[in-house]
Amino acid sequence: MTVAPPAVPGTGAALDALADLVSDGDALVLSGAGLSTDSGIPDYRGATGSLRRHTPMTYQTFTRDPRGRHRYWARSFVGWRQMRAARPNDGHRGVASLQGAGLLSGVITQNVDGLHQAGGARDVVELHGGLDRTVCLGCGDVADRAALDERLHEANPHFGPRVEEINPDGDAELPDEVLDGFVMVDCLACGAGPLKPDVVFFGETVPRDRVDACFALVEEAGSLVVLGSSLTVMSGYRFVLRAAKLGIPVGIVNVGPTRGDAKADVRVDAPLGVVLPELAARLAG
Ligand SMILES: [Zn+2]
């Protein structure tokens, strides 16, 4: 006897259409923060975004304001431990299953948490970079973030205040007087710096070659499937626009409305932790 997988309330026809889209093959995944919320990484653009006290670091503040940069690193030092403790969820594993079944042409993520890769996905394009490495704004050296963390521990043996929450870019909420007591270290390659996490901040441009590589993936795709992004920033939205312009079908799975809804051929308004295991069970089981 075959046992039907549990129904996803209110998404029957939409989920069937999404399954049809993905089963055609060469689906290109574009994922956002909503995919990682079940891993304990808050989606600051999502439903609770307006309640957050801490606005994301901008590139302008980071590069022009040494004190702001110092405070960023202090918060990031604390948030990093929580970030490293995050584990992939059923959504990440669902994407990896679909990829393993040969149904995906690629995975582009706007997330910087590395959880797609930890969940088993391969060849993930990190549109906004990754928190697992740093880049020196002085000499361009790219280095391992875990190694930096060890150096920061040595420089800050007693800096470990309670973490109230972290943001998707890995920094924590702490009072300024605590942040100012943090000791930052320099770049090992040039002896100066400043160091920056190798992620694209708000107000910063995604490197052109990375954008072009993503456009190429879109143009070769059978469909574009957006997972957990409200597509608020043009950084990801432009790929939806390109797909729609080329007549490549677009599917969007997200809780709540997205900027791309008018361009979507299939729209599923349901949690990724439910939809992706269901898709994987149907198509990659
Ligand atoms: Zn350097």
Side-chain angles (χ1 to χ4, degrees), residues 136-141 187-193 195:
C136 175
L137 294 179
C139 73
D141 184 61
C187 169
L188 278 180
C190 69
L195 295 176

Side-chain angles (χ1 to χ4, degrees), residues 129-142:
L131 281 175
D132 61 341
R133 53 197 186 267
T134 59
V135 61
C136 175
L137 294 179
C139 73
D141 184 61
V142 176

Side-chain angles (χ1 to χ4, degrees), residues 1-33:
M1 190 181 94
T2 304
V3 179
V8 183
T11 59
L15 194 56
D16 289 347
L18 181 69
D20 285 347
L21 199 66
V22 175
S23 69
D24 286 342
D26 286 335
L28 174 62
V29 164
L30 172 64
S31 69

